[in-house]
Amino acid sequence: MPGLREPSHWLVLIIVLVLVFGAARLPMIAKNIGQSMKIFRKEMKDATAPDPNNGDAPDDTNAK
């Protein structure tokens, strides 16, 4: 399945987005998507980090 590699594909996509959402709402939508991605990345980083208050931290008592 071909991706959006051709400039004509991008042009058609932009025209459809402007027709569907209107030119005034597109910057607001882009800002909201950016904020959502920032929150998502932060939550994923927090979820993968061990929580020292929860006992998830590696235990070094058996190290010699």
Side-chain angles (χ1 to χ4, degrees), residues 37-62:
M37 288 301 298
K38 184 177 179 181
I39 292 169
F40 178 75
R41 287 185 192 138
K42 181 183 178 296
E43 292 297 326
M44 289 302 295
K45 182 180 176 184
D46 291 345
T48 58
D51 186 8
N53 296 330
N54 195 17
D56 291 339
D59 189 14
D60 292 333
T61 58
N62 294 333

Side-chain angles (χ1 to χ4, degrees), residues 2-3 5 14 16 20 30 32 35 52:
R5 297 178 187 200
I14 291 170
V16 168
V20 170
N32 289 341
Q35 287 175 345

